[in-house]
Amino acid sequence: MTQADQKLSTHLIHHPYKPPADFEGPLTAVHKASTVYFENVQAMRDRRWLDKSSYTYGLHGTPTTYTLEERLASLEGGLQCLLVPSGLAAIATVSLALLKTGDEVLVPDNAYGPNKTLTEGELAHFGITHQYFDPMNVEDLAAKITPATKLVWLEAPGSVTMEFPDLIAQVRLCREKGVTTVLDNTWGAGLAFRPFDLLGDGSLGVDVTAHALTKYPSGGGDVLMGSIITRNQPLHMRIKLAHMRMGLGVSGNDAESVLRSLPSIGLRYHAQDRAARQLAQWLATQNAVAQVLHPSMPDAPGHVHWKQLCAQGQNAEGVAAGLFSVVIDERFDQAAVDRFCDSLRLFKLGYSWGGPVSLVVPYELPEMRSRATPHIKPGTVVRFAIGLEDAADLQVDLAQALVKAFG
């Protein structure tokens, strides 16, 4: 059939023109596809996607998502990467891929809340048991590992209360026990420390990282995505096949957004780190604040472990994210704390972090922990996520809100 014989719509769909292949620019092209074309039936039979040598279906990867995966693996020091629709999806995929009925998973008591609810919900429904361990006590972790323990989740620092554990000792213990470790590396982002090379000599590292790309890699507060990174090929394949069976994928435009932001992640991360430290140190001098929870503060829980891991070589001052919490003195009631948060003008009330806008959220700590937290002073915990505003402007905003709420 010639072009003259075709209707216009058919000709537009099957137009023979193909652009030359040697175009290259600063940004990776956005490839969108569910269907991927094959040259012939034999090519369809021969194509493989598991090793990223070719393409078979949009869900299994495009040039855009392959590129993002490789760059993220390099960022964290891994060798293999999978993309999923959110950070929580990364957590769920790892747990569902590596655990089965009768297995046990250990989770730090200060873990990201949705990880705990997933453990108590879906994992429990599937016959997977769990225990919560004290993240600041390696002996407690050791005592809880049993023959049924197949997976240990780790966080450095912990969610909201920001305790920094002895991650090196935790990973070393799990390796001695033959238990797989997974680190929620959203806070570290591949910049604060190297999760797969904790000692700097390649001898010790976590087995898997889960990363909410929603935060620092995206940087705009407008993308939901997560990653799962490994250095062990058999372990990667276990997770990858589960990833395939659950039909997980991400959009080309979202992958493009993260690729576009990655070159500036270091600049943004360190700028937010500097601003957060300035504000944390200032808040520590305020009468209404009983305690500041920031790993770089000398009296913060686990400061020595943070310094050991994040203040190495040329980074004498250490590296941290733009995230910290404060404990409002217990003499102030919840209404006063709420008034403080509501009085802030530059800080917006909202979950997440890593974006350009500073955020604030008050938390009820007793509802989030299964055990006592003697290292946290009594009072209401308020978490700040520092954006890219000028730190001096944020300090003025905090000062006026403190006066309005606490006098």
Side-chain angles (χ1 to χ4, degrees), residues 131-153:
Q131 294 188 74
Y132 294 124
F133 65 91
D134 182 351
M136 304 307 288
N137 185 345
V138 178
E139 288 72 25
D140 185 58
L141 173 59
K144 286 185 166 62
I145 294 177
T146 72
T149 306
K150 297 296 185 286
L151 193 66
V152 172
W153 278 95

Side-chain angles (χ1 to χ4, degrees), residues 23 33 86 105 114 146 151 159 165 172 183 190 214 219 228 230 232-233 237 245-246 282 315 342 365 371 380 393:
F23 176 86
S86 68
V105 58
T146 72
L151 193 66
S159 180
R172 184 177 285 126
L183 172 71
T214 305
I228 302 163
T230 55
N232 179 289
Q233 181 67 14
M237 290 306 297
R245 290 188 287 263
M246 289 188 285
W282 177 79
N315 298 318
D342 289 342
L365 190 58
R371 62 178 67 235
T380 300
D393 292 333

Side-chain angles (χ1 to χ4, degrees), residues 39-226:
E39 296 83 1
N40 50 54
V41 173
Q42 191 59 49
M44 178 178 278
R45 291 172 176 157
D46 290 343
R47 289 254 193 118
R48 296 289 181 268
W49 62 273
L50 285 172
D51 62 357
K52 290 187 177 179
S53 62
S54 57
Y55 309 96
T56 59
Y57 189 65
L59 198 60
H60 302 321
T62 67
T64 310
T65 58
Y66 279 6
T67 300
L68 179 55
E69 287 174 343
E70 293 303 307
R71 292 184 185 180
L72 290 169
S74 296
L75 172 67
E76 294 196 35
L79 295 177
Q80 304 94 10
C81 176
L82 294 167
L83 300 176
V84 291
S86 68
L88 180 55
I91 291 170
T93 301
V94 171
S95 289
L96 292 171
L98 301 183
L99 296 168
K100 65 182 185 304
T101 301
D103 289 345
E104 178 183 64
V105 58
L106 301 185
V107 180
D109 196 40
N110 61 356
Y112 174 55
N115 191 357
K116 298 175 76 171
T117 54
L118 172 74
T119 300
E120 296 167 0
E122 279 63 32
L123 296 191
H125 295 163
F126 298 148
I128 298 164
T129 61
H130 69 274
Q131 294 188 74
Y132 294 124
F133 65 91
D134 182 351
M136 304 307 288
N137 185 345
V138 178
E139 288 72 25
D140 185 58
L141 173 59
K144 286 185 166 62
I145 294 177
T146 72
T149 306
K150 297 296 185 286
L151 193 66
V152 172
W153 278 95
L154 303 169
E155 285 199 28
S159 180
V160 180
T161 43
M162 308 301 292
E163 304 97 330
F164 208 97
D166 189 348
L167 190 61
I168 292 172
Q170 290 177 334
V171 173
R172 184 177 285 126
L173 169 66
C174 291
R175 179 169 293 186
E176 291 171 355
K177 299 285 187 179
V179 179
T180 300
T181 53
V182 190
L183 172 71
D184 184 331
N185 196 39
T186 305
W187 179 92
L191 297 166
F193 59 92
R194 303 294 281 176
F196 295 101
D197 186 14
L198 297 173
L199 300 178
D201 60 5
S203 65
L204 186 72
V206 301
D207 296 306
V208 187
T209 65
H211 190 164
L213 308 180
T214 305
K215 273 70 171 181
Y216 290 111
S218 162
D222 59 351
V223 174
L224 286 167
M225 196 180 298

Side-chain angles (χ1 to χ4, degrees), residues 324-338:
F324 67 93
S325 295
V326 302
V327 181
I328 301 298
D329 193 282
E330 62 180 335
R331 69 181 186 274
F332 299 106
D333 62 15
Q334 188 63 57
V337 175
D338 291 352

